[in-house]
Amino acid sequence: MAPTTKSTGKNIEAETALQAVVLADSFNERFRPITLDMPRCLLPLCNTPLIEYTLECLAVAGVQEVYILCRAHSEKIKNYISTSKWNRSHSPFKIIPIVTPEARSIGDVLRELDAKQLISSDFILISGDVVSNIHLDKILDAHRTRKNIDKNLIMTMVVKEASPFHRTRSLGESSIFVLDGKTQECVHYESAELYPHKRNMIMDMEVFEKHSNVQIRNDFVDCQIDICSIEVLALFTENFDYQDIRKDFVYGILTSDLLGKTIYCHIVKDAYAARVRDLQTYDAISKDVLSRWTYPIVPDSNLQEGDSYEYMRGQIYKEQNVSLSRSCVLGEKVIIGSGTEIAENVKITNSVIGRRVNIGPNVKIDGAYIWDNVTINANCSISRSILANNVVLEENVIVNKGCLLSYNVIIGPKITLPSYTKLTRHKQNLDYDDYDTKDKEDKEINQLLHAQNIKLVKDNQKDDSYDIKLIGENGKGHIWNDETSDVEDDDEAKNIKVTTLAYDLSNLSFTDDESTASVISEGSSDEESDSDEPSNLEIFSKEVAQTVERAFSEGHTIEIASLELNTLRMASNTSFRDTRIVVIPSILNQINTDKLLASTKDVLTRWGPLIGKLVHSKDDQTDALFTLQKYCAKTDINSKIFAPSLRTLYEIDVIEEDAILEWYYDERSKGGVGKPEIYSKIHDVIAPFVKWLEEAEEENSEEDDE
């Protein structure tokens, strides 16, 4: 018997070559001035170009044809692809670059793709800066199954479940997805930037009439991976108002009364996926790769031809042909590329060191990204900054947090760069017409920069306009201003600010001339002081609480929970104490006060070692006891938790007797002025246990004397 028409159609779709479209241009300026020289998709993340992570994900999914849509630096992208492993005979797919020099948005490039009529069936649409270990083939199967049920389905958006303050979510931009709880159909979408805080949204009541189970979700990381039908391209062509995929296209489709198309979400829980949207997420995702959350997409998988990374204890990755002095110290989460030489008394922690980097003696590097061919001379210090290829730091240079030194910049000697300084060899605010070049690539870039009055400077061109006071007598480089002050929307300027590298939200000060920060903090009205803007520490605390709750619900091991907390702590640049302040109450909240003694012993025997991972000295242990006392002093019921908690923590060797005695004899533990009477009750109830400790210590001393 011949197969039915439905089966034949399904087989034909399955046999069609699986196609993917990679968006190599972000159409924003979040990585400037670095992207004046190199497209974002070729910037290194843990010494591997970003696009490699995207292409690896597509290869695993069984993609056979990849179209790379590029605008700026298209020649660099084409040259990279032509010399990469993806252009070899054994490549799993064929790559076709498509240059769209006139495009000014993602909508423009998709309209140009539609005009070429290259896409023949459902395809994967993905950004060229996505890092993921998701198996897209399973998501494709789920999409096709939904499509057989819902003929109006045109797109499935891949989202990852994560807390609203997850480190891989961009602080400046987020999304609200309204879903049918049963089918995961997306019935409404809105963007939700950090500023202004969204307190309400407008939805058609018909949504609730059609869908009995509606979920409003703000706990997704938008992976920027979509499974699309060919109708998506046609709809972009029909509507020139569609510029952004989410804010324009998805929102427009879901609010249209005429189109009748549907969009679904595929929720991922047990895999990793995130997009490098800005410098903040670049930092977070780099830390995740080093911490192996992206496994098997990790450095020692050696994604590129010629890679030779080996994994070492402490999450250290080192290539062959690396020269390390005996006195150098490598902390956790460090990767070092081949050809790098590191001199005496160098300390490197939480950092990426590229290939052929030369680091002189007495250098400190913490939380920094040092790309290829960088030279760092003696007595330099670099904190949470990016140094692009061929940067040179002369002796005694201090690079404070958040700095961005673009290609070929030279600093020093004896210079301290202020935090968040951006430097480039290109001049800003110069007449474009003064620069004449015959280089095809430079012409292309200059066309893009013409409206912004940016001038490219060749390495062999002399430039006498450097600010010697800023960059030093041997320095070469110009200050780069993001010009957020020119942004008409003040909230948009804030959203740009918070996505910079190592930016602390508490540093934001966008006040009117008549209202300074000091006035607000000291003499403002209640309405003014009741700010909705979360501080960096508040965001961190919420994320820690979410992490611990997830560990409880999913039964994580202590090692896994500790690893995630430490990754979060380092990504947020906070202390162990900040982490303990949240973790200890979260653990104590698990105690069932109806069965207080048994529950306390069970909970702390299971989770007390996690507190142990956060204390590293007697002072830490004493501080942890004050945190425990503060929690127990909240209510009379909580106060009964203190004594059994202290005893259990002592028995499992989290708190030692010296710390207990120091806490007990500290006047602060006894209460006093400004503290409730319950503090002294907690202190007194532990007196018999303290007496027992002291007597046991005396007996041990007498035995030792004998």
Side-chain angles (χ1 to χ4, degrees):
M1 178 181 291
T4 63
T5 303
K6 181 177 180 180
S7 298
T8 303
K10 185 176 180 179
N11 289 337
I12 291 174
E13 183 178 5
E15 292 172 2
T16 303
L18 179 57
Q19 299 171 305
V21 174
V22 177
L23 300 172
D25 203 305
S26 62
F27 295 96
N28 64 45
E29 301 175 3
R30 299 287 171 84
F31 277 79
R32 284 201 176 176
I34 286 178
T35 47
L36 295 176
D37 295 287
M38 190 69 64
R40 183 191 299 188
C41 67
L42 294 186
L43 299 183
L45 185 137
C46 295
N47 293 340
T48 298
L50 277 169
I51 200 169
E52 286 289 334
Y53 296 96
T54 301
L55 295 177
E56 195 71 30
C57 180
L58 297 178
V60 173
V63 171
Q64 296 164 285
E65 293 179 1
V66 177
Y67 295 95
I68 298 182
L69 305 183
C70 42
R71 181 194 60 158
H73 304 289
S74 58
E75 290 298 318
K76 286 186 173 68
I77 296 173
K78 288 162 66 176
N79 290 338
Y80 177 81
I81 295 299
S82 66
T83 57
S84 72
K85 68 179 183 181
W86 306 109
N87 197 39
R88 305 285 189 267
S89 58
H90 54 77
S91 174
F93 44 61
K94 179 181 180 182
I95 296 185
I96 303 97
I98 298 177
V99 181
T100 58
E102 303 299 325
R104 292 296 177 267
S105 69
I106 292 175
D108 288 344
V109 299
L110 293 181
R111 280 183 278 273
E112 190 157 340
L113 177 64
D114 184 48
K116 295 182 181 297
Q117 296 293 299
L118 296 171
I119 305 300
S120 56
S121 63
D122 291 353
F123 64 97
I124 300 171
L125 180 62
I126 186 170
S127 178
D129 46 20
V130 168
V131 178
S132 173
N133 60 9
I134 292 177
H135 290 281
L136 293 178
D137 50 344
K138 297 179 180 179
I139 299 176
L140 279 162
D141 290 341
H143 170 81
R144 289 164 179 157
T145 300
R146 292 192 198 99
K147 197 173 180 182
N148 288 332
I149 299 171
D150 184 353
K151 302 300 181 183
N152 293 316
L153 169 61
I154 60 170
M155 176 186 283
T156 295
M157 300 180 289
V158 180
V159 294
K160 185 182 186 312
E161 201 171 67
S163 71
F165 298 98
H166 195 272
R167 59 188 173 276
T168 58
R169 296 183 65 162
S170 176
L171 290 176
E173 54 183 321
S174 185
S175 301
I176 297 174
F177 296 86
V178 182
L179 306 182
D180 184 303
K182 296 180 180 179
T183 64
Q184 309 305 322
E185 179 185 349
C186 185
V187 297
H188 187 78
Y189 170 88
E190 284 197 21
S191 60
E193 288 77 14
L194 187 62
Y195 302 101
H197 295 295
K198 187 180 287 291
R199 292 181 172 83
N200 55 65
M201 64 180 184
I202 299 174
M203 288 178 56
D204 192 336
M205 290 303 296
E206 190 176 328
V207 168
F208 298 95
E209 296 174 1
K210 291 182 178 180
H211 305 273
S212 59
N213 183 357
V214 175
Q215 299 178 346
I216 300 177
R217 306 290 296 267
N218 187 32
D219 59 341
F220 291 151
V221 172
D222 189 348
C223 305
Q224 213 65 44
I225 305 173
D226 301 322
I227 313 300
C228 304
S229 74
I230 55 176
E231 291 179 81
V232 169
L233 299 179
L235 288 167
F236 267 96
T237 299
E238 292 171 6
N239 193 329
F240 279 83
D241 290 333
Y242 293 159
Q243 303 297 329
D244 183 84
I245 295 177
R246 296 289 184 261
K247 295 179 182 178
D248 299 327
F249 179 78
V250 172
Y251 179 82
I253 294 295
L254 297 181
T255 55
S256 173
D257 296 328
L258 302 176
L259 296 174
K261 303 299 181 183
T262 56
I263 297 174
Y264 285 72
C265 283
H266 187 98
I267 303 173
V268 175
K269 299 181 180 180
D270 56 353
Y272 187 92
R275 183 191 172 198
V276 181
R277 297 175 179 272
D278 45 49
L279 292 166
Q280 169 231 323
T281 50
Y282 176 89
D283 181 42
I285 295 171
S286 296
K287 296 292 194 300
D288 283 351
V289 171
L290 295 178
S291 300
R292 306 183 75 79
W293 290 108
T294 58
Y295 187 86
I297 310 299
V298 290
D300 51 304
S301 293
N302 295 315
L303 299 182
Q304 300 180 94
E305 292 180 338
D307 283 0
S308 59
Y309 289 104
E310 294 182 1
Y311 178 59
M312 305 168 65
R313 188 174 61 182
Q315 296 175 339
I316 295 173
Y317 306 84
K318 186 168 69 71
E319 272 198 298
Q320 297 175 3
N321 192 30
V322 171
S323 176
L324 302 176
S325 69
R326 291 186 177 183
S327 59
C328 75
V329 177
L330 302 182
E332 293 185 344
K333 298 178 182 62
V334 171
I335 181 172
I336 304 176
S338 65
T340 290
E341 298 182 3
I342 300 177
E344 296 80 10
N345 301 317
V346 172
K347 184 176 181 180
I348 304 175
T349 55
N350 304 308
S351 298
V352 174
I353 309 297
R355 296 178 174 90
R356 300 173 298 280
V357 175
N358 194 313
I359 301 177
N362 306 313
V363 169
K364 294 182 180 180
I365 301 174
D366 177 50
Y369 301 92
I370 313 299
W371 294 358
D372 295 346
N373 302 304
V374 171
T375 300
I376 302 172
N377 286 293
N379 306 312
C380 291
S381 175
I382 307 156
S383 174
R384 304 186 70 190
S385 298
I386 294 178
L387 276 60
N389 293 11
N390 303 309
V391 165
V392 176
L393 299 187
E394 301 286 355
E395 293 185 358
N396 299 295
V397 170
I398 298 175
V399 180
N400 285 305
K401 69 175 183 178
C403 289
L404 200 62
L405 308 187
S406 192
Y407 295 82
N408 305 305
V409 166
I410 301 175
I411 305 294
K414 299 180 181 179
I415 288 293
T416 297
L417 287 180
S419 297
Y420 312 114
T421 300
K422 294 185 178 182
L423 293 168
T424 174
R425 292 293 295 273
H426 306 312
K427 286 187 176 181
Q428 201 171 5
N429 299 325
L430 291 180
D431 187 0
Y432 161 81
D433 294 326
D434 288 344
Y435 184 57
D436 182 22
T437 177
K438 297 180 181 180
D439 184 88
K440 178 181 179 182
E441 182 76 7
D442 286 339
K443 282 186 176 180
E444 175 190 343
I445 301 303
N446 270 305
Q447 288 172 0
L448 297 175
L449 303 180
H450 178 35
Q452 302 167 52
N453 294 323
I454 301 167
K455 176 180 176 182
L456 293 179
V457 178
K458 292 282 193 176
D459 285 343
N460 57 4
Q461 286 182 301
K462 292 185 178 180
D463 193 333
D464 299 326
S465 61
Y466 297 133
D467 185 349
I468 301 302
K469 292 182 180 179
L470 175 66
I471 63 176
E473 59 183 16
N474 297 333
K476 294 182 180 180
H478 300 280
I479 193 75
W480 178 268
N481 295 309
D482 286 329
E483 298 182 346
T484 54
S485 59
D486 293 342
V487 178
E488 294 182 3
D489 187 348
D490 193 45
D491 289 323
E492 183 180 348
K494 294 180 184 180
N495 289 324
I496 294 173
K497 278 281 188 182
V498 299
T499 60
T500 55
L501 186 66
Y503 202 86
D504 188 342
L505 286 178
S506 63
N507 289 342
L508 277 175
S509 178
F510 289 85
T511 57
D512 296 331
D513 293 338
E514 66 274 15
S515 177
T516 65
S518 59
V519 172
I520 291 177
S521 61
E522 297 176 7
S524 61
S525 67
D526 290 340
E527 181 178 356
E528 290 174 326
S529 62
D530 188 18
S531 172
D532 289 328
E533 299 178 2
S535 70
N536 197 42
L537 187 57
E538 288 172 336
I539 291 176
F540 169 74
S541 298
K542 290 180 180 179
E543 180 59 26
V544 168
Q546 292 278 352
T547 301
V548 176
E549 289 297 327
R550 186 165 59 250
F552 295 151
S553 62
E554 298 178 6
H556 290 176
T557 64
I558 296 299
E559 288 70 22
I560 293 296
S562 174
L563 176 63
E564 188 163 356
L565 287 172
N566 276 324
T567 301
L568 176 62
R569 178 183 60 81
M570 288 183 288
S572 304
N573 197 28
T574 48
S575 66
F576 279 107
R577 184 176 188 275
D578 294 329
T579 311
R580 288 196 302 270
I581 288 172
V582 182
V583 169
I584 291 174
S586 297
I587 292 175
L588 297 177
N589 284 337
Q590 302 299 307
I591 296 174
N592 182 357
T593 54
D594 293 334
K595 303 177 181 178
L596 193 143
L597 293 177
S599 180
T600 300
K601 189 172 184 63
D602 290 343
V603 169
L604 289 179
T605 300
R606 171 68 173 89
W607 293 105
L610 183 60
I611 300 174
K613 297 285 187 179
L614 303 174
V615 294
H616 304 283
S617 65
K618 185 179 72 173
D619 290 342
D620 286 351
Q621 295 177 25
T622 305
D623 182 76
L625 289 176
F626 279 110
T627 302
L628 175 64
Q629 184 183 26
K630 183 177 181 181
Y631 172 88
C632 293
K634 289 183 177 180
T635 65
D636 288 335
I637 294 177
N638 283 8
S639 67
K640 298 176 182 179
I641 296 175
F642 187 85
S645 296
L646 178 60
R647 179 143 197 144
T648 304
L649 292 173
Y650 173 74
E651 290 173 351
I652 63 176
D653 296 326
V654 170
I655 302 294
E656 298 174 353
E657 63 180 69
D658 288 346
I660 296 174
L661 296 175
E662 182 169 320
W663 166 83
Y664 183 78
Y665 289 109
D666 192 311
E667 291 298 321
R668 293 174 297 169
S669 68
K670 302 175 184 179
V673 179
K675 289 187 177 180
E677 185 180 351
I678 197 170
Y679 270 80
S680 60
K681 291 181 179 179
I682 291 173
H683 179 271
D684 294 342
V685 79
I686 210 70
F689 180 63
V690 171
K691 183 178 180 181
W692 175 81
L693 287 176
E694 291 177 329
E695 290 176 352
E697 186 177 7
E698 289 177 2
E699 290 178 3
N700 290 335
S701 298
E702 291 175 0
E703 291 176 1
D704 292 340
D705 292 340
E706 292 177 0

